[in-house]
Amino acid sequence: MIEINPHKDKKLAVLIDPDKADDRFLNQIIDISKNFPPDCFLVGGSLLVNDRFEFVIQFLKEKTSIPVYIFPGNMMQTSPKADGILLLSLISGRNAEFLIGQHVLAAPKLKRDNINIIPTGYILVGGTAQTSVEYMSQTAPIPNNKNDIASATALAGEMLGMKMIYLEAGSGAENSLKKEMISAVKNTISIPLIVGGGIKNAHDACEIFQAGAKWIVVGTAIEKNPDTIKEFYNLSNNIKI
Ligand code: 1GP
């Protein structure tokens, strides 16, 4: 993902949860993306109940030329059909399974698949309600007012060789992350910062970009109304709305 549009300073990733993406939704996304293409699609989810993961990746690959990256909820979510994978290590947590265990299980297949791997330090930040990631990973998120802990965690991730830091409020979070925390992390690291969770509109996104995020990830808002891709697209391309 790092090499996608290297000259753009604000990038939009649309998160597709295969369980929530029926054929009608996917076709809507493809239609809108013809004129308002996001910089990439991310595919994945904390828990996938239906068997649509491979299908969604293949569908997106066949219908668009927009890069498709896997955003794995666990290491069963891999596919050679994707352009790459964010190899997430949940560095805010202390659950060895999500720091390294799942990666050991997936490594041989990822090598066989010869897939582009982006080592990503994944930092979960708490909000008002427990999120799926928090529950599924059985890890405590960083409190959302502890900018120093978030910054030190991100820095440790960079020092360990991560290529990106993903600051996550959790899918469907009531509020997106506070700009003070985003700025603090941004000012501490020199690798690109991705921010996601609870971004509902261009106003939220604008604040997050201004605070220093290179990428925003939007899922729920687009599931609720696919047309919101247009406003996120305009913002990430510096087009006045
Ligand atoms: C979840 O950050 C992403 O991992 C997207 O969150 O669904 O709230 O947009 P939303």
Side-chain angles (χ1 to χ4, degrees), residues 8 10 12 35-37 202 209 227-241:
K8 250 184 99 182
K10 299 181 194 141
L12 169 64
N35 293 321
F36 302 90
F209 280 132
D227 272 334
T228 53
I229 288 181
K230 295 175 188 171
E231 57 178 294
F232 292 120
Y233 169 88
N234 286 334
L235 181 68
S236 67
N237 287 283
N238 298 317
I239 296 167
K240 276 216 157 47
I241 306 170

Side-chain angles (χ1 to χ4, degrees), residues 15 71 122 166 168 170-173 196-198 217-220:
L15 174 65
F71 176 62
Y122 190 48
Y166 191 133
E168 169 74 281
S171 189
V217 181
V218 186
T220 305

Side-chain angles (χ1 to χ4, degrees), residues 15 46 71 88 90 92 121-127 131 133 141-142 165-173 177 181 193-198 217:
L15 174 65
S46 294
F71 176 62
L88 305 172
L90 183 52
S92 56
Y122 190 48
I123 299 179
L124 182 60
V125 179
T131 59
V133 191
I142 295 176
I165 294 294
Y166 191 133
L167 210 52
E168 169 74 281
S171 189
L177 291 172
M181 178 177 277
L193 178 62
I194 318 176
V195 175
V217 181

Side-chain angles (χ1 to χ4, degrees), residues 143-156:
N144 64 10
N145 58 348
K146 300 292 183 192
N147 302 346
D148 52 350
I149 299 178
S151 301
T153 305
L155 185 59

Side-chain angles (χ1 to χ4, degrees), residues 158-172:
E158 178 175 357
M159 288 172 169
L160 283 166
M162 308 289 176
K163 299 291 185 247
M164 300 184 99
I165 294 294
Y166 191 133
L167 210 52
E168 169 74 281
S171 189

